[in-house]
Amino acid sequence: SILLCIYKLRNREITREREDNMSQEITARTVRISDLVPSVKRAMKRKRPVFIWGPPGVGKSEVVEGIATELGGIAIDIRLGMYEPTDIRGMPYYDKNTGKMVWAPPIDLPSEEDAAKYPVVVLFLDEMNQASPSVQGAAFQLILNRKVGQYTLPENVVVVAAGNRETDKGVTFRMPTPLRNRFTHLELAVNFDDWQDWAVKNNIHPDVVGYLNFAKSDLFDFDPRASGNAFASPRSWTFVSEYLYDEEDDVDVTDNQLTDLIAGTVGEGIAVKFNTHRKFASKLPIPTDILDGKIKELPSDARETSAMYTLTVNMAYELKQNYDNIKDKDREKKLEKWHDQCSNVFQFMMDNFQTEMNVLALRIMLKNYNIALNPRKLKNFSEFAKRYGDYIKDA
């Protein structure tokens, strides 16, 4: 009978765990960055605090900083996990002139004078659920009443917080229910298209962008149950990009040492696939030679899919750079030459790429790189449209 009771209790625990997991799956609504940004802006307009949840390395901090910059303001990044309660509330001291105990305001919080320099100041409470309960309690006053101790938030200061989920196996403290209820909660998910738009604007290395166009699932490969230290994330791929640019600047590092750095950043399995991709990519022609019409055929040993993704990104990058460098002087003449380069690229793609790659290439050029093509000035655009127009419409 004792064993039967234990068995029944264990069954109840398993059933409860399954129900909890099902409930989490049902309620876990996620948003991509392109949807998160306008949502946060709307909440900021109403001065409603927002809490951005998400796994490590997905760009929570970058989103907040980007919004502040876009609005002409600044973001004050406060890592609450490293704070003591007095860092938020301030330090009490005796004022002998009044005979009362007063509070010295914390130096990290914006003063009225500093805040007045900007249209908006974002007080970004990062790693909030890594802070101890006492620190969260001090922050609660700031969020609830927009004041703590004798300090009051200036009118143009808005509060945004962020933290990892409890399931991410990081160091977290459960937030008190009253504090949770003060926030609008949004959970950020990784989306490749959003990341690619960001990567183009931030000059992420073409090898990284090209590889991830081919292996989108390798953009984010986080498993909280895994024992390894390194994993792929938008943040860690940025580190890889920096290492590759350093390689071009002749920093003294061997191929084996570079492989060690990449494996130690995104994990060994993905690093092996990425290095294989780079070996094929190294056999690709120089993009400027394609633009100038010097190379019209892709070498047979470079016809690997992920390498062609990289070549597409490189050609789009060169076209964008050349367009941006066109000055007012002799602009029409330079635009004519630039459209000749575009025509050479389109002809090269038609002669060497399969349909899927041509459709993707046009999407990358128009959507991600915002290349200002004038179809009437392209010698072969009508042929390109005739071959792939229906596929492009479907895409």
Side-chain angles (χ1 to χ4, degrees), residues 31-227:
V31 297
R32 51 189 285 187
I33 288 179
S34 57
D35 294 324
L36 177 70
V37 171
S39 297
V40 173
K41 287 181 181 177
R42 173 68 68 87
M44 288 169 56
K45 185 177 181 180
R46 304 299 302 172
K47 288 190 172 64
R48 298 300 180 196
V50 176
F51 198 110
I52 303 173
W53 297 88
V58 297
K60 299 184 291 292
S61 304
E62 288 78 4
V63 169
V64 175
E65 291 173 4
I67 292 174
T69 301
E70 183 181 340
L71 297 176
I74 59 167
I76 299 176
D77 192 336
I78 293 180
R79 304 287 170 129
L80 280 187
M82 303 170 62
Y83 272 50
E84 297 291 335
T86 51
D87 295 331
I88 296 295
R89 184 171 174 80
M91 185 70 71
Y93 69 93
Y94 175 71
D95 187 345
K96 64 180 181 180
N97 295 323
T98 62
K100 296 180 180 180
M101 185 70 72
V102 295
W103 291 84
I107 194 170
D108 290 335
L109 298 180
S111 65
E112 289 282 357
E113 182 182 0
D114 291 335
K117 299 175 183 177
Y118 306 95
V120 63
V121 176
V122 181
L123 184 62
F124 182 41
L125 306 178
D126 202 1
E127 301 172 354
M128 184 165 184
N129 57 337
Q130 289 187 23
S132 65
S134 58
V135 175
Q136 290 189 28
F140 175 71
Q141 291 181 297
L142 191 64
I143 295 161
L144 175 65
N145 303 316
R146 292 183 59 84
K147 65 181 298 182
V148 60
Q150 291 180 292
Y151 171 81
T152 301
L153 279 176
E155 277 299 311
N156 65 328
V157 175
V158 293
V159 178
V160 178
N164 298 140
R165 306 161 303 182
E166 293 178 14
T167 54
D168 295 326
K169 305 298 183 182
V171 178
T172 60
F173 293 92
R174 188 167 182 81
M175 291 172 60
T177 302
L179 180 55
R180 283 175 177 264
N181 194 237
R182 296 304 302 175
F183 284 105
T184 295
H185 298 269
L186 299 170
E187 184 171 331
L188 181 60
V190 177
N191 178 271
F192 176 79
D193 290 337
D194 289 345
W195 176 83
Q196 187 178 38
D197 290 341
W198 176 87
V200 168
K201 295 175 184 176
N202 289 272
N203 199 29
I204 297 299
H205 197 283
D207 279 2
V208 172
V209 180
Y211 171 74
L212 291 176
N213 262 287
F214 169 73
K216 295 181 175 64
S217 61
D218 287 347
L219 173 61
F220 186 66
D221 185 45
F222 173 63
D223 182 357
R225 297 166 297 183
S227 58

Side-chain angles (χ1 to χ4, degrees), residues 325-332 334:
N325 290 333
I326 295 176
K327 306 301 181 183
D328 291 337
K329 185 178 180 181
D330 297 329
R331 183 173 179 81
E332 289 301 319
K334 291 177 180 177

Side-chain angles (χ1 to χ4, degrees), residues 17 81 88 117 139 187 226 253 282 301:
E17 288 176 3
I88 296 295
K117 299 175 183 177
E187 184 171 331
V253 61
S282 66
D301 58 353

Side-chain angles (χ1 to χ4, degrees), residues 207 275-286 301-302 307 310:
D207 279 2
N275 284 335
T276 301
H277 154 80
R278 292 194 74 217
K279 289 179 181 178
F280 283 105
S282 66
K283 301 174 183 178
L284 294 171
I286 299 173
D301 58 353
T310 293

